[in-house]
Amino acid sequence: IAECKRATGDTTGAFEALDAARKAHPDSANVLARRADLFYSLGKFDDATADAEAALKKSADQLVARWTLARVQRDKGNLTEADTETRKI
């Protein structure tokens, strides 16, 4: 549902769907990673990083979370850190 809302430009609805998913599945790394990706797409790098790191604590091989961290670092101009994150994928 969150991805459909996001695709139609309804970011508020996407966050609401992800928040509902977090309540239903509090241990899900996937939900946190999707929220991190949504934050990233809005340029909210600190929030994206926080959710991506939380997702990786739950599941060290969470691809979307790792990719989000790499893109945040790249966009901040930290190419070495971005490369390090990318190589962990």
Side-chain angles (χ1 to χ4, degrees), residues 14-36:
F15 277 116
E16 289 170 354
L18 289 167
D19 288 343
R22 279 189 72 199
K23 287 178 185 171
H25 307 282
D27 293 325
S28 174
N30 292 335
V31 173
L32 284 167
R34 291 294 172 191
R35 200 169 81 149

Side-chain angles (χ1 to χ4, degrees), residues 10-87:
D10 182 5
T11 56
T12 300
F15 277 116
E16 289 170 354
L18 289 167
D19 288 343
R22 279 189 72 199
K23 287 178 185 171
H25 307 282
D27 293 325
S28 174
N30 292 335
V31 173
L32 284 167
R34 291 294 172 191
R35 200 169 81 149
D37 184 55
L38 183 56
F39 277 129
Y40 168 80
S41 73
L42 298 173
K44 296 182 177 186
F45 294 163
D46 291 340
D47 293 325
T49 298
D51 275 0
E53 288 175 347
L56 290 169
K57 285 181 182 175
K58 293 179 181 290
S59 177
D61 62 347
Q62 214 306 323
L63 177 66
V64 174
R66 186 74 61 198
W67 180 237
T68 299
L69 287 179
R71 292 181 296 157
V72 166
Q73 291 303 323
R74 178 201 62 202
D75 290 357
K76 287 183 169 183
N78 302 325
L79 300 182
T80 300
E81 291 87 347
D83 182 61
T84 299
E85 289 299 331
T86 303
R87 291 176 186 275

